[in-house]
């Protein structure tokens, strides 16, 4: 029974977690109304109930949660590029052209051959290699490893732009005899962008690429594979602990952080779909806009797939957003329970609660909310118990010694 909420008079309100979470929970409210505190208080309640909780933290606000296991992407954790699908790698490298996508597919296979069949480092040179020899090596990959050096992808893509000679000496039994310089030049901006990205120190740390950094405590810290961490944590009893995936180190790059979050949510769903374990796992997501790129197809986003398919695999989502109208109707319709803090706009209120709530919601104090549970007819007025975890989400205030310190200048 969840007791992270109480009446306005301080009496605990017990809510069955199955009713609260099994059809997903939406927490909404304007800035400063108590959304982040509600997520923290709920996370603490899940710990007391010994339930598994996973917080995807895009801001670093949840790092002080007691009994939490924290993995910070780019510091002590990475998302190995070599374990991602070609589709995801293409998104990370910003490869939109179909030709580059095909070359990327070929480059991945070539690097796998070079590492697992040839046992060599660097790029796989394909010029003047016979088709029959290459095919044998491709077949041998079925019984060899699948690892490869993803840091060489941009260089390997250049090696894929080969063609026969343009005269009578052309040998069509070879993969190619010369570089197609015209095509390389055509896509050079994209290839160069990929080269620079893959050689960037921060990118290498985030995506687990080989690097040679100057010695420092941070650079020498052991990094763990986040996909493995999710697989391990989502299949074991939490013992009052919560897993926090902190991606705040890449928040300056909104596109990358959104893409990483999308990949992680889909990976979590894939892991649970392949597992026979059905322990309930609550996934907490603060601030919806940080998880879905604006140009992404909603139906293909990690958030939507988690909401639509997660319940059958024991994944229950808690999502917060400042305005319910930020959510596309396809996503908004996936929530069975709603906890609404202060909202001013009537259209926002009407999108999630009955029109009778129009008078109450704009007047709510910080921490107060209207809670509507799955299959309940009327929302209840509740107050969220302040979390034990300290966090600072207040907006900076202007400091003025006195009213005389601020003057208008008459001209």
């Amino acid at each position: 029974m969840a007791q992270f909420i109480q009446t306005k008079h301080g009496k605990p309100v017990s809510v069955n977690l199955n009713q609260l979470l099994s059809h997903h929970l939406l927490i909404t409210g304007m800035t400063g109304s108590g959304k982040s505190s509600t997520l923290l208080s709920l996370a603490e309640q899940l710990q007391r109930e010994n339930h598994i909780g996973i917080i995807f933290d895009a801001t670093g606000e949840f790092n002080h949660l007691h009994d939490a296991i924290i993995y910070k992407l780019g510091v002590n954790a990475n998302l190995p590029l070599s374990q991602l699908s070609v589709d995801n790698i293409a998104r990370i490298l910003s490869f939109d052209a179909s030709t580059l996508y095909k070359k990327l597919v070929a480059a991945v296979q070539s690097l796998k051959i070079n590492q697992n069949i040839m046992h060599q480092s660097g790029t796989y040179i394909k010029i003047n290699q016979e088709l029959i020899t290459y095919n044998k090596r491709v077949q041998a990959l079925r019984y060899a490893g699948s690892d490869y050096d993803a840091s060489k992808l941009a260089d390997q893509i250049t090696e894929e732009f080969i063609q026969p000679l343009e005269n009578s000496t052309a040998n069509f039994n070879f993969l190619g005899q010369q570089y197609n310089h015209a095509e390389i030049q055509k896509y050079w901006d994209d290839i160069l962008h990929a080269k620079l990205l893959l050689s960037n120190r921060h990118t290498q740390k985030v995506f687990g690429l080989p690097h040679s950094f100057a010695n420092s405590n941070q650079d020498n810290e052991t990094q763990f594979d986040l996909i493995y961490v999710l697989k391990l944590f989502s299949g074991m009893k939490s013992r009052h602990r919560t897993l926090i995936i902190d991606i705040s180190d890449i928040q300056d790059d909104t596109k990358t952080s959104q893409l990483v979050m999308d990949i992680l949510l889909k990976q979590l769903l894939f892991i649970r779909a392949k597992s026979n374990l059905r322990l309930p796992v609550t996934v907490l997501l603060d601030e919806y806009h940080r998880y879905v790129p604006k140009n992404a197809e909603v139906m293909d986003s990690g958030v939507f797939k988690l909401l639509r398919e997660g319940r059958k695999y024991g994944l229950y989502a808690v999502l917060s957003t400042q305005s319910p109208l930020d959510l596309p109707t396809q996503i908004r319709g996936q929530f069975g329970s709603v906890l609404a803090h202060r909202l001013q706009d009537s259209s926002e209120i009407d999108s999630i609660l009955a029109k009778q709530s129009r008078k109450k919601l704009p007047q709510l104090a910080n921490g107060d909310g209207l809670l509507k549970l799955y299959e309940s007819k009327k929302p209840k007025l509740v107050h969220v118990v302040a979390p034990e975890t300290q966090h600072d989400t207040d907006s900076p205030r202007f400091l003025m010694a006195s009213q005389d310190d601020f003057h208008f200048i008459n001209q």
Side-chain angles (χ1 to χ4, degrees):
M1 303 297 285
Q3 293 184 343
F4 70 102
I5 52 177
Q6 61 187 19
T7 66
K8 291 208 67 173
H9 303 291
K11 183 179 179 180
V13 176
S14 294
V15 178
N16 188 298
L17 284 175
N18 286 311
Q19 189 178 17
L20 179 70
L21 301 175
S22 62
H23 287 78
H24 307 310
L25 170 64
L26 172 64
I27 300 173
T28 187
M30 58 192 302
T31 301
S33 61
K35 298 188 306 298
S36 294
S37 293
T38 298
L39 277 177
L40 272 172
S41 188
L42 177 57
E44 291 175 349
Q45 180 64 38
L46 290 170
Q47 288 181 339
R48 288 190 290 268
E49 300 285 340
N50 201 26
H51 289 296
I52 304 172
I54 300 177
I55 299 176
F56 290 94
D57 185 4
T59 62
E61 292 180 9
F62 297 87
N63 283 343
H64 300 294
L65 182 66
H66 300 303
D67 294 321
I69 303 173
I70 303 173
Y71 288 95
K72 188 168 185 177
L73 187 63
V75 179
N76 67 337
N78 59 52
L79 184 61
L81 194 68
S82 61
Q83 293 189 33
L84 301 182
S85 68
V86 174
D87 286 347
N88 283 327
I89 296 174
R91 293 170 65 192
I92 292 168
L93 300 180
S94 300
F95 282 179
D96 297 323
S98 59
T99 297
L100 281 176
Y101 182 87
K102 292 177 182 177
K103 297 301 182 184
L104 178 61
V105 172
V108 169
Q109 183 167 264
S110 295
L111 289 173
K112 288 181 178 179
I113 290 174
N114 209 42
Q115 180 163 324
N116 300 285
I117 305 301
M118 307 303 295
H119 305 293
Q120 297 176 350
S121 59
T123 56
Y124 181 55
I125 307 302
K126 302 174 81 170
I127 283 182
N128 293 326
Q129 182 171 139
E130 292 184 342
L131 288 169
I132 189 170
T133 300
Y134 179 72
N135 279 331
K136 287 180 179 179
R137 291 171 179 172
V138 170
Q139 293 299 316
L141 269 181
R142 297 174 58 187
Y143 309 102
S146 59
D147 291 337
Y148 67 96
D149 185 357
S151 68
K152 302 296 183 183
L153 276 170
D155 296 328
Q156 184 62 48
I157 285 172
T158 304
E159 297 296 332
E160 303 301 328
F161 282 99
I162 56 176
Q163 62 183 11
L165 295 174
E166 298 175 353
N167 52 41
S168 59
T169 61
N171 189 332
F172 298 105
N173 291 316
F174 289 168
L175 295 174
Q177 296 169 279
Q178 64 180 1
Y179 290 106
N180 188 336
H181 293 285
E183 284 289 283
I184 294 174
Q185 195 170 38
K186 177 180 177 181
Y187 295 104
W188 181 245
D189 285 346
D190 294 311
I191 296 172
L192 179 60
H193 169 77
K195 280 177 175 284
L196 294 173
L197 185 66
L198 294 173
S199 62
N200 177 272
R201 168 180 174 175
H202 187 62
T203 301
Q204 290 173 341
K205 293 180 70 177
V206 168
F207 293 108
L209 300 173
H211 55 260
S212 55
F213 299 152
N215 290 330
S216 70
N217 291 334
Q218 189 180 61
D219 290 340
N220 290 331
E221 187 168 358
T222 300
Q223 286 193 321
F224 294 89
D225 176 355
L226 274 185
I227 296 176
Y228 175 76
V229 170
L230 285 175
K231 183 176 181 180
L232 183 66
F233 199 89
S234 66
M236 62 184 291
K237 292 185 177 180
S238 62
R239 297 181 182 177
H240 303 281
R241 290 192 173 185
T242 303
L243 173 65
I244 296 177
I245 304 295
D246 181 350
I247 66 162
S248 61
D249 205 39
I250 56 173
Q251 65 179 342
D252 57 321
D253 187 342
T254 304
K255 180 180 177 182
T256 302
S257 61
Q258 289 175 335
L259 179 55
V260 165
M261 289 302 308
D262 191 62
I263 293 171
L264 287 173
L265 290 175
K266 289 178 179 177
Q267 284 290 335
L268 177 59
L269 185 63
F270 176 80
I271 290 167
R272 293 289 291 195
K274 294 296 183 180
S275 172
N276 293 324
L277 296 174
R278 288 297 178 263
L279 290 170
V281 176
T282 303
V283 181
L284 298 95
L285 308 165
D286 192 17
E287 299 296 350
Y288 163 82
H289 67 276
R290 298 182 184 273
Y291 302 97
V292 179
K294 292 183 179 179
N295 60 349
E297 292 291 338
V298 173
M299 305 287 280
D300 188 52
S301 69
V303 170
F304 181 77
K305 290 182 178 295
L306 172 67
L307 293 171
R308 187 182 63 177
E309 304 172 23
R311 288 171 48 224
K312 60 186 174 184
Y313 304 121
L315 293 174
Y316 305 115
V318 180
L319 186 148
S320 80
T321 186
Q322 292 184 16
S323 170
L325 295 181
D326 289 340
L327 306 177
T329 54
Q330 300 99 317
I331 288 183
R332 200 186 318 144
Q334 299 294 322
F335 292 96
S337 298
V338 175
L339 177 53
H341 292 288
R342 186 170 62 254
L343 289 171
Q344 300 288 347
D345 187 78
S346 59
S347 59
E348 292 178 331
I349 299 170
D350 293 347
S351 69
I352 53 172
L353 295 173
K355 294 181 179 179
Q356 291 83 341
S357 303
R358 284 184 181 177
K359 293 183 179 180
K360 294 181 179 179
L361 276 175
Q363 301 173 4
L364 293 179
N366 289 357
D368 289 348
L370 290 180
L371 175 63
K372 184 181 182 301
L373 296 171
Y374 178 66
E375 291 186 336
S376 64
K377 295 182 179 180
K378 295 182 179 180
K380 295 180 180 180
L381 180 62
V382 299
H383 180 79
V384 176
V385 178
E388 297 177 6
T389 304
Q390 297 297 316
H391 72 300
D392 183 15
T393 58
D394 292 335
S395 301
R397 301 289 183 180
F398 292 103
L399 298 178
M400 300 178 67
S402 70
Q403 293 181 349
D404 295 333
D405 289 338
F406 186 72
H407 302 278
F408 287 102
I409 299 176
N410 295 318
Q411 302 209 1

